[in-house]
Amino acid sequence: MKSKNTILKYLLTICGHLLFWIVIYYFYAYFLGYGSSNTKYVNQFSGFLMPVTILISYFLIYYLIPNYLLTKKYKYFILYCIYTFIISIYVIILSILYGLLYSEGYKEVGTVPLTKTLPFIILGVYFVVLIIVSFSLIMHNYKSIVSNENLKSKILETQLQIKDQELRFLKMQIHPHFLFNSLNTIYGFALNKKDEAPEMILKLSNLLDYILYQIEKPQVLLMDEINHLLDYVSLEKMRFHDTLEVETTINITDKTVQIAPMLLIPFVENAFKHGDIVNGSLKVKIDIKTEGDQLFFKIENTSIKENKTNNGIGLENIEKRLEMLYANSHILETNQTEKYFKVKLTIDNLKQFKNE
């Protein structure tokens, strides 16, 4: 199929060139014979200008321009153009003289065969060559623009694929933490045959459904994210028993607001994972609210500053996701005090990302 398309392309190119040169031939006939009634002489003479015009034009557009002008070898291009001009003048004059001699037999008595003098004939040839060269450069420029646009599209597509793969990778780093912590808790409850085990299994089932099926969506309802966040908190409460104190404040004015899935839950997980028990309990305070197109999320947990060297890989991954999903539309602040670790996240223009 490719060979057939290539052959067809070549045939169309050849036909295009032939049609173009036929137009040029008639241009010469009109230009040289304007005001003359000796059409046979003019047509015969015009034919002798065609080979030299074709030769000069193709030499310029297929050799000098690609090899010297487009490769920015300007000195050589100018030098060879001068050589070409000198040689072409000589060849054009020879063609004109030969055409005049050969067409002598077509002269009609009492008529002027040609209405243009020798300098005008030479200028006419160079005028045609100039048009051809200009058209060639315009086409080259157009093809370069199209090629650059196609290249940009391919680069953009590749970047989007890389971004998508990176997002998937970051999400997959989050998942095992939930499963590991929750399954360990359920395992401990099952060994002790506690009544909370069935409820934990149900909440874990909801989390798994969210992780496996909702995570692939670009956006989910903020309320869905919060509900699963609360399920996760409930699981941790069962695991920590009396050593965990969680205070949640939720104020969502617009229930249709959407965010990227698994965006808030990792902050909560990080609080439980890296928080410290102070005075017999781990205290976590969660505050989520929306105002218009803005989301305000705050979480703080008890944390002893002297025990902290870093905040774990979780927050680093979330920062990367925020940069990729909400670039220039979010503010993430973290603050480690003597007894508390605080996170504050603000996302602006939520509706802008609704269908992305």
Side-chain angles (χ1 to χ4, degrees):
M1 183 61 109
K2 270 189 176 181
S3 59
K4 287 183 179 179
N5 290 336
T6 304
I7 292 170
L8 181 61
K9 184 180 178 180
Y10 282 132
L11 288 174
L12 289 173
T13 303
I14 291 170
C15 289
H17 281 241
L18 287 173
L19 182 63
F20 175 80
W21 289 118
I22 290 170
V23 172
I24 296 300
Y25 171 78
Y26 282 107
F27 165 76
Y28 277 149
Y30 176 79
F31 173 71
L32 298 173
Y34 182 76
S36 173
S37 59
N38 197 346
T39 55
K40 287 184 179 180
Y41 185 94
V42 173
N43 292 337
Q44 182 72 22
F45 184 81
S46 298
F48 285 94
L49 295 180
M50 293 301 296
V52 67
T53 307
I54 293 171
L55 182 64
I56 296 170
S57 300
Y58 283 163
F59 180 73
L60 284 169
I61 65 176
Y62 288 119
Y63 182 74
L64 282 188
I65 291 175
N67 292 321
Y68 297 102
L69 180 62
L70 299 181
T71 55
K72 299 182 179 180
K73 298 176 182 178
Y74 300 124
K75 291 182 180 179
Y76 288 107
F77 178 73
I78 294 171
L79 180 64
Y80 291 140
C81 278
I82 293 171
Y83 290 159
T84 303
F85 176 74
I86 295 170
I87 295 170
S88 63
I89 283 283
Y90 176 74
V91 176
I92 290 170
I93 292 173
L94 282 180
S95 298
I96 292 171
L97 292 175
Y98 188 76
L100 290 172
L101 291 172
Y102 190 86
S103 305
E104 188 69 23
Y106 291 93
K107 278 187 177 181
E108 294 178 0
V109 179
T111 63
V112 179
L114 297 174
T115 59
K116 299 294 184 294
T117 59
L118 180 64
F120 274 100
I121 295 172
I122 295 173
L123 285 174
V125 173
Y126 281 117
F127 175 72
V128 172
V129 172
L130 180 63
I131 290 175
I132 294 168
V133 170
S134 300
F135 181 75
S136 173
L137 290 174
I138 290 170
M139 288 302 297
H140 172 78
N141 188 49
Y142 173 74
K143 288 178 181 178
S144 297
I145 292 171
V146 172
S147 178
N148 288 337
E149 288 299 322
N150 290 337
L151 182 61
K152 286 179 183 178
S153 297
K154 288 180 180 178
I155 292 172
L156 180 60
E157 185 180 346
T158 303
Q159 288 175 338
L160 288 173
Q161 290 175 351
I162 293 171
K163 179 180 176 181
D164 183 63
Q165 291 299 321
E166 188 172 349
L167 280 173
R168 288 175 182 270
F169 175 70
L170 291 174
K171 289 175 184 178
M172 290 304 296
Q173 286 182 310
I174 297 170
H175 298 175
H177 296 283
F178 290 99
L179 298 177
F180 181 77
N181 292 337
S182 301
L183 286 173
N184 265 352
T185 304
I186 293 171
Y187 177 70
F189 276 34
L191 286 178
N192 296 320
K193 297 180 180 180
K194 293 190 175 181
D195 296 335
E196 293 93 333
E199 185 182 351
M200 290 188 72
I201 293 172
L202 179 62
K203 291 184 181 297
L204 179 60
S205 174
N206 290 334
L207 277 173
L208 284 173
D209 176 74
Y210 188 68
I211 291 170
L212 295 174
Y213 298 107
Q214 304 301 315
I215 195 79
E216 296 301 324
K217 296 179 180 179
Q219 299 281 317
V220 295
L221 289 173
L222 175 60
M223 286 307 303
D224 285 345
E225 176 83 359
I226 292 172
N227 289 334
H228 287 89
L229 182 152
L230 295 176
D231 280 344
Y232 179 75
V233 169
S234 297
L235 286 170
E236 292 296 77
K237 281 182 178 179
M238 294 178 188
R239 183 165 70 93
F240 278 87
H241 291 292
D242 298 331
T243 59
L244 176 63
E245 295 180 24
V246 181
E247 180 185 341
T248 58
T249 304
I250 298 170
N251 184 14
I252 307 300
T253 56
D254 186 355
K255 305 295 182 182
T256 65
V257 169
Q258 296 184 343
I259 62 167
M262 297 287 288
L263 198 64
L264 303 182
I265 298 175
F267 288 112
V268 181
E269 181 210 7
N270 190 73
F272 291 129
K273 185 176 180 182
H274 298 286
D276 293 317
I277 295 176
V278 178
N279 298 326
S281 66
L282 168 61
K283 295 180 180 179
V284 178
K285 183 179 180 181
I286 303 169
D287 185 2
I288 307 173
K289 69 176 181 178
T290 59
E291 290 181 5
D293 265 4
Q294 288 185 305
L295 168 67
F296 301 94
F297 173 80
K298 296 179 184 178
I299 184 169
E300 63 179 60
N301 58 274
T302 49
S303 176
I304 301 173
K305 186 175 183 179
E306 62 185 22
N307 294 340
K308 304 301 172 188
T309 56
N310 57 65
N311 299 317
I313 196 172
L315 287 180
E316 183 182 338
N317 288 341
I318 299 168
E319 261 188 283
K320 289 180 181 178
R321 288 189 68 201
L322 286 168
E323 283 297 327
M324 296 175 74
L325 294 170
Y326 299 100
N328 304 319
S329 295
H330 77 280
I331 300 173
L332 178 63
E333 300 174 87
T334 59
N335 181 30
Q336 174 71 62
T337 64
E338 291 296 327
K339 293 185 178 180
Y340 284 94
F341 180 74
K342 301 177 181 181
V343 176
K344 181 181 177 182
L345 172 65
T346 304
I347 300 178
D348 299 323
N349 303 319
L350 281 174
K351 291 184 180 179
Q352 172 188 343
F353 305 94
K354 186 173 181 180
N355 296 318
E356 293 184 2

